[in-house]
Amino acid sequence: MNTKLSILFYIKRAKTTSQGKSPIYLRVTVDSKRTEFSIKRFVETHKWSSEQNKMKGNSEESRTLNTYLAILKSRIYEIQKDLIHSGKEVNGETIKNILLGIDDRKRMLIPIFQEHNNRMEALMGKEYAKGTLTRYKTCLSHTKEFLKWKFNISDIEITEIDHAFIYDFEFFLRTEKSCANNSAVKYVKNFGKIIRICLANKWMLHDPFLGYSSKFVEVNRGFLDEEELSRLQNKELKIERIALVRDVFLFSCYTGLSFIDAWSLTKDNIGIGIDGNKWIFTARQKTKIASHIPLLPIAEDIIKKYEKHPICVISGKLLPVLSNQKMNAYLKEIADLCEITKELTFHIARHTFATTVTLSNGVPIESVSKMLGHKSIKTTQYYAKILDKKVSEDMAFLKERLKINEKIKRLG
C-alpha cells in the first residue's frame, strides 16, 4: 500500500488571542487530501518560525514545545506504519482519531441492539417469524431496565460488558422480572447474539460469555392420549366456530404442524408424494427446515370439508385458521365440552401427532423427526422418552394385574 504522507505544523493568526498567542495546528496530507486540527498548544505569534514550522530560539519553553512537536510527528509515522501492517486504509481522519485517542468511536449497547431488531423486523416473514422478533424486542426492553436497575444508566459501552454483567443480567431476569428458568436462559441467549455481532465486528476484544453456562429445564409437554383424541374427534359440536376450531386442531394432530405453519398453508402446499398420494410440502417457519407429510385420511377429509369456506376462497388458504389467541380460547371451551381435563392449547396438537398418532403406532423416530421438521433427531427423542414413561406405567399396571390373577388362581 503506497501512500504519500506529509506533516505540517502552523499557526492560525486569525485566531490570535488578546495576549498575542496563536493556536498551533497540525496538517496531515495523505495523497493530496488534507486533514487539519488543533494540537491544543499556543505560541506567541512573533516567536513562531513559518519556515521551520516550529518555535524560534533555544529557551526552555522553545525546547519543550519543539520536542512535543517532534514526538507528534514521530507518532504519526508510527500510526501510518501500523495501519499499513494491519491492512487498513491510511487517511488523515483515521490518523487524527488515533492521535487524539478516539481511534474508534464509542460503541454503545442499546443502538447496536436496536439496529439488530430493526434489521430483523425488515426481514420478518422472510427469515424471521413474528414471535422471534417479539422475543428480541422484549429482551431489549429487559436490557434497558437492567441497566437502570444495576448501574442507574440508560446505556453502556460494549467494551464494559464483562462476565459479571452476564450473570447479573440473568439474576435480574430471575428476580426482578420473575422469569422462569427457561425464559431467563432464552433471554440471555438472545443477548448473546448481540455480543456475537460485536465480536464478529471486532468491536469487543473479549467474549464475556466465556465460562458462562446455563441449561434449559425439560418441561412436560402435554399431549392427548388415544382415548382423549377419539373423544375430541367424535364429539358432536353444533356451534360452527367451535367445530371449526376443533377441526383445525385435529388437522394438526394428524399432520404435526404448528399453528403458524398450519395458518400459512395454501393449496400450493399440497402435492403428490412418492407413493402417488397427497402430501403436504412445506418448510417450518421457525427453522426453515423442509417438512414433507403424507396426508392421513382424517386430515384429507378436513381439507375437503373447508375447501369452499369463504375464508379459504378469498385468502387462498388451505384452512380457515383463526388467530392463535382465538384458537386457544375456543380450545378451552372444547376441552370442557369433551371432558378433557388437560389444558388444551394449539401446540398440544403437534405433540399429539409426535406421540399418540405416530410413535405409539410404530412409526420410526427418523420419519417422525423428518415430518416434524426438526433440526436434530435429539429433539424428537424427547417424545420417545415420554412414551417410555408411559410404557413403564403400563407395565407396572400389568404386573399388578398379573399378581391379582395369580392370587385368584391359588385361591381357586
Side-chain angles (χ1 to χ4, degrees), residues 270-305:
I270 305 298
I272 302 301
I274 194 171
D275 56 1
N277 295 315
K278 289 182 179 180
W279 287 41
I280 294 173
F281 295 92
T282 186
R284 290 206 66 202
Q285 187 174 104
K286 182 178 180 181
T287 62
K288 307 303 177 188
I289 302 292
S291 182
H292 300 168
I293 310 160
L295 275 175
L296 293 170
I298 294 174
E300 198 168 344
D301 289 342
I302 292 171
I303 292 173
K304 288 178 182 176
K305 180 177 179 180

Side-chain angles (χ1 to χ4, degrees), residues 108-122 133 136-144 154-155 158 190-191 193-195 197-198 203:
M108 308 301 286
L109 172 63
I110 300 305
I112 293 171
F113 206 143
Q114 186 61 61
E115 174 64 17
H116 165 272
N117 288 2
N118 292 344
R119 291 183 178 224
M120 182 174 278
E121 190 163 11
L133 173 63
Y136 274 95
K137 283 184 173 181
T138 304
C139 184
L140 174 56
S141 176
H142 288 340
T143 302
K144 290 177 179 178
S154 59
D155 206 350
I158 56 172
N190 294 151
F191 184 80
K193 183 183 177 185
I194 308 304
I195 297 300
I197 290 172
C198 295
W203 299 334

Side-chain angles (χ1 to χ4, degrees), residues 57 61 87 101 103-104 147 242 246 248 263 289 341 406:
E61 179 189 9
D103 57 327
D104 288 313
L147 291 174
I242 296 292
R246 185 269 309 272
V248 173
W263 180 86
I289 302 292
T341 56
E406 190 63 31

